[in-house]
Each structure stands twice: as C-alpha cells, then as structure tokens.
mmCIF file of all heavy atoms in Angstrom:
data_model
loop_
_atom_site.group_PDB
_atom_site.id
_atom_site.type_symbol
_atom_site.label_atom_id
_atom_site.label_comp_id
_atom_site.label_asym_id
_atom_site.label_seq_id
_atom_site.Cartn_x
_atom_site.Cartn_y
_atom_site.Cartn_z
ATOM 1 N N LEU A 90 4.231 -72.079 -96.999
ATOM 2 C CA LEU A 90 3.626 -70.877 -97.582
ATOM 3 C C LEU A 90 2.995 -69.990 -96.508
ATOM 4 O O LEU A 90 3.076 -68.759 -96.580
ATOM 5 C CB LEU A 90 2.585 -71.271 -98.637
ATOM 6 C CG LEU A 90 3.154 -71.914 -99.908
ATOM 7 C CD1 LEU A 90 2.035 -72.483 -100.774
ATOM 8 C CD2 LEU A 90 4.002 -70.916 -100.677
ATOM 9 N N ARG A 91 2.382 -70.600 -95.509
ATOM 10 C CA ARG A 91 1.816 -69.817 -94.395
ATOM 11 C C ARG A 91 2.905 -69.082 -93.631
ATOM 12 O O ARG A 91 2.760 -67.913 -93.276
ATOM 13 C CB ARG A 91 1.043 -70.731 -93.439
ATOM 14 C CG ARG A 91 -0.375 -70.983 -93.876
ATOM 15 C CD ARG A 91 -1.193 -71.697 -92.840
ATOM 16 N NE ARG A 91 -1.127 -71.014 -91.556
ATOM 17 C CZ ARG A 91 -1.267 -71.616 -90.388
ATOM 18 N NH1 ARG A 91 -1.480 -72.912 -90.328
ATOM 19 N NH2 ARG A 91 -1.216 -70.945 -89.271
ATOM 20 N N ARG A 92 4.005 -69.772 -93.365
ATOM 21 C CA ARG A 92 5.118 -69.134 -92.649
ATOM 22 C C ARG A 92 5.699 -67.981 -93.471
ATOM 23 O O ARG A 92 5.989 -66.911 -92.927
ATOM 24 C CB ARG A 92 6.205 -70.155 -92.312
ATOM 25 C CG ARG A 92 5.869 -71.021 -91.120
ATOM 26 C CD ARG A 92 7.058 -71.875 -90.692
ATOM 27 N NE ARG A 92 7.568 -72.728 -91.763
ATOM 28 C CZ ARG A 92 7.062 -73.908 -92.103
ATOM 29 N NH1 ARG A 92 6.021 -74.384 -91.462
ATOM 30 N NH2 ARG A 92 7.609 -74.624 -93.075
ATOM 31 N N ASN A 93 5.874 -68.192 -94.768
ATOM 32 C CA ASN A 93 6.387 -67.126 -95.642
ATOM 33 C C ASN A 93 5.469 -65.915 -95.628
ATOM 34 O O ASN A 93 5.920 -64.773 -95.570
ATOM 35 C CB ASN A 93 6.553 -67.629 -97.079
ATOM 36 C CG ASN A 93 7.672 -68.629 -97.224
ATOM 37 O OD1 ASN A 93 8.497 -68.797 -96.331
ATOM 38 N ND2 ASN A 93 7.692 -69.317 -98.346
ATOM 39 N N TYR A 94 4.171 -66.174 -95.676
ATOM 40 C CA TYR A 94 3.195 -65.088 -95.637
ATOM 41 C C TYR A 94 3.280 -64.351 -94.292
ATOM 42 O O TYR A 94 3.314 -63.114 -94.255
ATOM 43 C CB TYR A 94 1.765 -65.611 -95.860
ATOM 44 C CG TYR A 94 0.749 -64.570 -95.524
ATOM 45 C CD1 TYR A 94 0.459 -63.549 -96.426
ATOM 46 C CD2 TYR A 94 0.115 -64.561 -94.286
ATOM 47 C CE1 TYR A 94 -0.450 -62.554 -96.099
ATOM 48 C CE2 TYR A 94 -0.790 -63.580 -93.964
ATOM 49 C CZ TYR A 94 -1.072 -62.584 -94.867
ATOM 50 O OH TYR A 94 -1.958 -61.595 -94.528
ATOM 51 N N LYS A 95 3.320 -65.089 -93.193
ATOM 52 C CA LYS A 95 3.363 -64.462 -91.870
ATOM 53 C C LYS A 95 4.597 -63.588 -91.704
ATOM 54 O O LYS A 95 4.524 -62.495 -91.138
ATOM 55 C CB LYS A 95 3.303 -65.533 -90.769
ATOM 56 C CG LYS A 95 1.923 -66.123 -90.591
ATOM 57 C CD LYS A 95 1.922 -67.233 -89.572
ATOM 58 C CE LYS A 95 1.767 -66.647 -88.209
ATOM 59 N NZ LYS A 95 1.553 -67.657 -87.154
ATOM 60 N N GLN A 96 5.739 -64.060 -92.207
ATOM 61 C CA GLN A 96 6.962 -63.265 -92.117
ATOM 62 C C GLN A 96 6.848 -61.987 -92.942
ATOM 63 O O GLN A 96 7.221 -60.903 -92.483
ATOM 64 C CB GLN A 96 8.167 -64.081 -92.587
ATOM 65 C CG GLN A 96 8.562 -65.184 -91.636
ATOM 66 C CD GLN A 96 9.621 -66.102 -92.233
ATOM 67 O OE1 GLN A 96 9.911 -66.071 -93.431
ATOM 68 N NE2 GLN A 96 10.191 -66.947 -91.383
ATOM 69 N N ALA A 97 6.337 -62.106 -94.147
ATOM 70 C CA ALA A 97 6.168 -60.927 -95.009
ATOM 71 C C ALA A 97 5.167 -59.954 -94.390
ATOM 72 O O ALA A 97 5.380 -58.732 -94.408
ATOM 73 C CB ALA A 97 5.713 -61.353 -96.406
ATOM 74 N N HIS A 98 4.095 -60.491 -93.827
ATOM 75 C CA HIS A 98 3.062 -59.648 -93.208
ATOM 76 C C HIS A 98 3.630 -58.914 -91.992
ATOM 77 O O HIS A 98 3.327 -57.728 -91.781
ATOM 78 C CB HIS A 98 1.865 -60.517 -92.825
ATOM 79 C CG HIS A 98 0.662 -59.736 -92.460
ATOM 80 N ND1 HIS A 98 0.254 -59.580 -91.158
ATOM 81 C CD2 HIS A 98 -0.223 -59.044 -93.220
ATOM 82 C CE1 HIS A 98 -0.832 -58.842 -91.131
ATOM 83 N NE2 HIS A 98 -1.148 -58.505 -92.359
ATOM 84 N N GLN A 99 4.441 -59.586 -91.202
ATOM 85 C CA GLN A 99 5.056 -58.935 -90.040
ATOM 86 C C GLN A 99 6.002 -57.831 -90.487
ATOM 87 O O GLN A 99 6.016 -56.739 -89.903
ATOM 88 C CB GLN A 99 5.803 -59.956 -89.169
ATOM 89 C CG GLN A 99 6.407 -59.359 -87.915
ATOM 90 C CD GLN A 99 5.348 -58.785 -86.984
ATOM 91 O OE1 GLN A 99 4.391 -59.462 -86.633
ATOM 92 N NE2 GLN A 99 5.510 -57.540 -86.575
ATOM 93 N N SER A 100 6.773 -58.069 -91.527
ATOM 94 C CA SER A 100 7.670 -57.038 -92.064
ATOM 95 C C SER A 100 6.876 -55.832 -92.563
ATOM 96 O O SER A 100 7.279 -54.689 -92.372
ATOM 97 C CB SER A 100 8.511 -57.592 -93.207
ATOM 98 O OG SER A 100 9.373 -58.588 -92.746
ATOM 99 N N LEU A 101 5.743 -56.098 -93.184
ATOM 100 C CA LEU A 101 4.882 -55.020 -93.658
ATOM 101 C C LEU A 101 4.357 -54.186 -92.496
ATOM 102 O O LEU A 101 4.424 -52.954 -92.524
ATOM 103 C CB LEU A 101 3.715 -55.592 -94.463
ATOM 104 C CG LEU A 101 2.616 -54.605 -94.865
ATOM 105 C CD1 LEU A 101 3.174 -53.525 -95.776
ATOM 106 C CD2 LEU A 101 1.463 -55.343 -95.517
ATOM 107 N N ARG A 102 3.857 -54.844 -91.463
ATOM 108 C CA ARG A 102 3.336 -54.103 -90.305
ATOM 109 C C ARG A 102 4.434 -53.284 -89.634
ATOM 110 O O ARG A 102 4.205 -52.143 -89.231
ATOM 111 C CB ARG A 102 2.687 -55.067 -89.315
ATOM 112 C CG ARG A 102 1.385 -55.651 -89.838
ATOM 113 C CD ARG A 102 0.554 -56.368 -88.784
ATOM 114 N NE ARG A 102 1.290 -57.121 -87.807
ATOM 115 C CZ ARG A 102 1.530 -58.429 -87.865
ATOM 116 N NH1 ARG A 102 1.107 -59.134 -88.891
ATOM 117 N NH2 ARG A 102 2.189 -59.037 -86.912
ATOM 118 N N ASP A 103 5.619 -53.851 -89.548
ATOM 119 C CA ASP A 103 6.738 -53.121 -88.955
ATOM 120 C C ASP A 103 7.093 -51.882 -89.786
ATOM 121 O O ASP A 103 7.327 -50.800 -89.238
ATOM 122 C CB ASP A 103 7.973 -54.023 -88.826
ATOM 123 C CG ASP A 103 7.804 -55.122 -87.798
ATOM 124 O OD1 ASP A 103 6.868 -55.049 -86.966
ATOM 125 O OD2 ASP A 103 8.595 -56.090 -87.840
ATOM 126 N N ALA A 104 7.137 -52.045 -91.109
ATOM 127 C CA ALA A 104 7.464 -50.915 -91.992
ATOM 128 C C ALA A 104 6.391 -49.828 -91.909
ATOM 129 O O ALA A 104 6.711 -48.631 -91.869
ATOM 130 C CB ALA A 104 7.621 -51.402 -93.432
ATOM 131 N N MET A 105 5.142 -50.236 -91.877
ATOM 132 C CA MET A 105 4.047 -49.264 -91.772
ATOM 133 C C MET A 105 4.098 -48.520 -90.443
ATOM 134 O O MET A 105 3.951 -47.293 -90.401
ATOM 135 C CB MET A 105 2.691 -49.956 -91.922
ATOM 136 C CG MET A 105 2.374 -50.387 -93.312
ATOM 137 S SD MET A 105 0.804 -51.292 -93.346
ATOM 138 C CE MET A 105 0.509 -51.371 -95.101
ATOM 139 N N LYS A 106 4.326 -49.261 -89.383
ATOM 140 C CA LYS A 106 4.391 -48.640 -88.057
ATOM 141 C C LYS A 106 5.544 -47.645 -87.988
ATOM 142 O O LYS A 106 5.390 -46.539 -87.475
ATOM 143 C CB LYS A 106 4.547 -49.718 -86.987
ATOM 144 C CG LYS A 106 4.454 -49.192 -85.584
ATOM 145 C CD LYS A 106 4.467 -50.333 -84.591
ATOM 146 C CE LYS A 106 4.262 -49.825 -83.200
ATOM 147 N NZ LYS A 106 4.213 -50.909 -82.217
ATOM 148 N N GLU A 107 6.693 -48.020 -88.528
ATOM 149 C CA GLU A 107 7.847 -47.117 -88.541
ATOM 150 C C GLU A 107 7.532 -45.851 -89.336
ATOM 151 O O GLU A 107 7.861 -44.742 -88.920
ATOM 152 C CB GLU A 107 9.053 -47.820 -89.133
ATOM 153 C CG GLU A 107 10.286 -46.951 -89.191
ATOM 154 C CD GLU A 107 11.445 -47.654 -89.874
ATOM 155 O OE1 GLU A 107 11.636 -48.851 -89.648
ATOM 156 O OE2 GLU A 107 12.154 -46.978 -90.648
ATOM 157 N N ASP A 108 6.889 -46.021 -90.486
ATOM 158 C CA ASP A 108 6.550 -44.871 -91.319
ATOM 159 C C ASP A 108 5.581 -43.938 -90.602
ATOM 160 O O ASP A 108 5.733 -42.714 -90.660
ATOM 161 C CB ASP A 108 5.960 -45.330 -92.648
ATOM 162 C CG ASP A 108 5.630 -44.171 -93.561
ATOM 163 O OD1 ASP A 108 6.441 -43.228 -93.646
ATOM 164 O OD2 ASP A 108 4.556 -44.200 -94.191
ATOM 165 N N LEU A 109 4.603 -44.497 -89.924
ATOM 166 C CA LEU A 109 3.594 -43.663 -89.263
ATOM 167 C C LEU A 109 4.100 -43.013 -87.982
ATOM 168 O O LEU A 109 3.554 -42.002 -87.545
ATOM 169 C CB LEU A 109 2.340 -44.485 -88.962
ATOM 170 C CG LEU A 109 1.537 -44.912 -90.189
ATOM 171 C CD1 LEU A 109 0.406 -45.853 -89.773
ATOM 172 C CD2 LEU A 109 1.004 -43.705 -90.942
ATOM 173 N N THR A 110 5.147 -43.563 -87.386
ATOM 174 C CA THR A 110 5.655 -42.991 -86.139
ATOM 175 C C THR A 110 6.909 -42.157 -86.317
ATOM 176 O O THR A 110 7.382 -41.558 -85.364
ATOM 177 C CB THR A 110 5.946 -44.099 -85.100
ATOM 178 O OG1 THR A 110 6.882 -45.016 -85.640
ATOM 179 C CG2 THR A 110 4.671 -44.822 -84.708
ATOM 180 N N LYS A 111 7.449 -42.095 -87.529
ATOM 181 C CA LYS A 111 8.718 -41.389 -87.717
ATOM 182 C C LYS A 111 8.608 -39.881 -87.483
ATOM 183 O O LYS A 111 9.572 -39.236 -87.144
ATOM 184 C CB LYS A 111 9.294 -41.667 -89.095
ATOM 185 C CG LYS A 111 8.588 -40.999 -90.230
ATOM 186 C CD LYS A 111 9.230 -41.322 -91.542
ATOM 187 C CE LYS A 111 8.413 -40.712 -92.649
ATOM 188 N NZ LYS A 111 8.845 -41.132 -93.929
ATOM 189 N N ASP A 112 7.419 -39.305 -87.645
ATOM 190 C CA ASP A 112 7.224 -37.883 -87.420
ATOM 191 C C ASP A 112 6.639 -37.599 -86.042
ATOM 192 O O ASP A 112 6.051 -36.551 -85.811
ATOM 193 C CB ASP A 112 6.316 -37.295 -88.491
ATOM 194 C CG ASP A 112 7.000 -37.219 -89.838
ATOM 195 O OD1 ASP A 112 8.236 -37.064 -89.853
ATOM 196 O OD2 ASP A 112 6.313 -37.326 -90.868
ATOM 197 N N GLY A 113 6.785 -38.572 -85.140
ATOM 198 C CA GLY A 113 6.329 -38.351 -83.771
ATOM 199 C C GLY A 113 4.852 -38.558 -83.570
ATOM 200 O O GLY A 113 4.290 -38.062 -82.608
ATOM 201 N N LEU A 114 4.209 -39.305 -84.443
ATOM 202 C CA LEU A 114 2.778 -39.567 -84.280
ATOM 203 C C LEU A 114 2.541 -40.740 -83.396
ATOM 204 O O LEU A 114 3.273 -41.625 -83.270
ATOM 205 C CB LEU A 114 2.127 -39.784 -85.641
ATOM 206 C CG LEU A 114 2.166 -38.588 -86.565
ATOM 207 C CD1 LEU A 114 1.583 -38.964 -87.920
ATOM 208 C CD2 LEU A 114 1.385 -37.447 -85.987
#
C-alpha cells in the first residue's frame, strides 16, 4: 500500500509540474 501510494503521489507531482510549466512558468 505504501508503494502504491508513492507511485500515485509521484504521478500527481509530475502532472502538476507539467501543468504549471506548460505556459513557460
């Protein structure tokens, strides 16, 4: 369960980072 959470959390951070940087921020 910890590993599943860590993988999901990493995917979330990656998606957020991509969203915030897509307009050159």
Side-chain angles (χ1 to χ4, degrees):
L90 292 170
R91 276 189 53 208
R92 282 189 303 277
N93 291 347
Y94 167 80
K95 285 176 85 171
Q96 289 171 348
H98 192 256
Q99 183 62 52
S100 295
L101 172 63
R102 290 193 323 264
D103 291 345
M105 287 176 169
K106 187 174 185 178
E107 180 184 320
D108 182 42
L109 291 174
T110 58
K111 73 180 176 189
D112 289 330
L114 296 176

